[in-house]
Amino acid sequence: CLSSGLMMDPPHTDFFYCCGAATELLRFGSCPLTSAHKVLFLIIPGERSSLFGSAEDDVFGLDGQVEHKLAFLRNHVPRETSLVLIGHSIGCYIILEMMKRNPERKVLKALLLFPTIERMAQSPQGKVMTPVLCHMRYVVYLPLFLLSLLPDRLKVGLIRLIFNLCGLFPRAANAMYLGGQEMRKVLKRDDTTIGKHLDKLIFYYGATDHWCPVHYYHDIKRDFPLGDFKLCENGFRHAFVLDAGREVAEMVFEWIREDLRSRVPGDQNTSFGASAGRL
């Protein structure tokens, strides 16, 4: 929570379990979320990485990712708190699904950066990655299967070694599992949800985005002439977090600054939280 009295508090990261998955929460200050906090920023990145969680709940599947974010809001965020949702790549699809499944939540703005919300397998990058994510991912599972056949003592030692290195195989398997579901499930654009919440949505498309080509931008702009659709003029790539994270953050802040000022007066109870619900 970033409140008017805690503006200079350094950020720190908390981890807790939600839906069987370790969830990262970035907060400013130590106070828990209460109804006194006016706005929460929920950031949903599009990176295809994950921590270990419950396979039973399919938390690493696309539907599980959506339900995980809704469970976080349901269990940890008072209903009176307004939300600013910021998504990147598949995080934009997750945001639209959240708004569709829980329309009662108070969403001030939803910012969809480089949105992969339609025809993913038909995109230039999707045509390359679909065979890898949907079929070749089983190659990544092979070391895990072979590991399961070893004696327990040797198995424990190897598992510790993998964790000490970086957890490469499990993380890659989980990421490819989610990626494969994206190729199969993110097909048709959800025009119903977009039309219902159009006044709250800001779309930002890349000019050279191989996951979401420019004609997707022209299509949605044609179908929703009153929507707020922006086309990148700064040369940012899809994976902007690698080299332009600060620039994109400053740009997003400018988009929503006046809207927040008009909707949330700056009194003692005005607080902002930032959650990186990263799996």
Side-chain angles (χ1 to χ4, degrees), residues 11-32:
H12 68 276
T13 300
D14 294 334
F15 284 93
F16 59 92
Y17 273 83
C18 179
C19 286
T23 300
E24 179 182 351
L25 180 69
L26 174 67
R27 71 166 76 226
F28 295 79
S30 57
C31 57

Side-chain angles (χ1 to χ4, degrees), residues 43-63:
I43 304 170
I44 306 176
E47 59 191 53
R48 290 173 176 81
S49 63
S50 52
L51 301 172
F52 292 92
S54 169
E56 180 181 353
D57 294 327
D58 194 30
V59 73
F60 298 126
L62 193 52
D63 186 69

Side-chain angles (χ1 to χ4, degrees), residues 143 146-162:
L146 296 176
L147 182 64
S148 70
L149 301 178
L150 296 175
D152 289 343
R153 182 175 298 181
L154 184 58
K155 187 188 305 182
V156 169
L158 288 175
I159 289 175
R160 286 176 178 170
L161 177 62
I162 291 173

Side-chain angles (χ1 to χ4, degrees), residues 18-268:
C18 179
C19 286
T23 300
E24 179 182 351
L25 180 69
L26 174 67
R27 71 166 76 226
F28 295 79
S30 57
C31 57
L33 281 169
T34 69
S35 58
H37 296 112
K38 303 296 185 184
V39 177
L40 174 79
F41 285 81
L42 187 65
I43 304 170
I44 306 176
E47 59 191 53
R48 290 173 176 81
S49 63
S50 52
L51 301 172
F52 292 92
S54 169
E56 180 181 353
D57 294 327
D58 194 30
V59 73
F60 298 126
L62 193 52
D63 186 69
Q65 292 282 296
V66 175
E67 290 301 323
H68 169 267
K69 309 306 183 283
L70 292 175
F72 168 76
L73 295 176
R74 186 167 56 249
N75 297 332
H76 300 281
V77 180
R79 296 197 65 82
E80 300 82 12
T81 303
S82 296
L83 302 174
V84 174
L85 306 175
I86 304 174
H88 167 246
S89 192
I90 197 61
C92 303
Y93 175 89
I94 293 173
I95 283 177
L96 291 178
E97 280 293 306
M98 290 170 62
M99 298 175 76
K100 175 182 177 180
R101 300 184 194 188
N102 193 355
E104 294 80 18
R105 274 288 175 179
K106 296 169 59 179
V107 177
L108 291 181
K109 281 291 181 183
L111 297 92
L112 311 183
L113 308 175
F114 301 89
T116 54
I117 58 174
E118 58 174 311
R119 296 176 280 177
M120 285 192 66
Q122 298 176 35
S123 67
Q125 192 70 7
K127 291 177 181 178
V128 174
M129 293 302 297
T130 295
V132 176
L133 295 172
C134 294
H135 304 295
M136 292 182 64
R137 67 184 177 91
Y138 294 103
V139 175
V140 180
Y141 295 160
L142 181 60
L144 301 179
F145 171 71
L146 296 176
L147 182 64
S148 70
L149 301 178
L150 296 175
D152 289 343
R153 182 175 298 181
L154 184 58
K155 187 188 305 182
V156 169
L158 288 175
I159 289 175
R160 286 176 178 170
L161 177 62
I162 291 173
F163 267 102
N164 289 336
L165 291 175
C166 64
L168 174 62
F169 292 126
R171 291 173 67 90
N174 291 333
M176 294 180 76
Y177 173 65
L178 175 59
Q181 287 203 342
E182 293 172 21
M183 298 304 110
R184 291 189 173 103
K185 293 186 176 182
V186 183
L187 304 173
K188 185 178 179 181
R189 193 179 66 209
D190 187 355
D191 287 352
T192 300
T193 300
I194 292 173
K196 183 176 180 180
H197 302 284
L198 190 61
D199 61 323
K200 302 175 183 177
L201 301 174
I202 298 176
F203 293 80
Y204 187 75
Y205 284 82
T208 57
D209 189 347
H210 296 299
W211 281 110
C212 189
V214 173
H215 71 267
Y216 287 14
Y217 159 78
H218 291 298
D219 289 348
I220 195 171
K221 189 175 181 182
R222 179 198 63 220
D223 295 340
F224 295 95
L226 299 181
D228 191 349
F229 303 101
K230 306 177 187 296
L231 185 63
C232 178
E233 298 178 350
N234 301 297
F236 298 143
R237 53 176 168 164
H238 185 89
F240 66 85
V241 294
L242 298 178
D243 53 16
R246 177 178 292 275
E247 291 87 343
V248 173
E250 291 173 348
M251 178 180 67
V252 167
F253 177 71
E254 290 301 321
W255 293 345
I256 62 177
R257 188 210 313 240
E258 292 304 321
D259 191 75
L260 287 176
R261 281 179 174 173
S262 63
R263 298 192 186 205
V264 186
D267 57 30
Q268 289 186 341

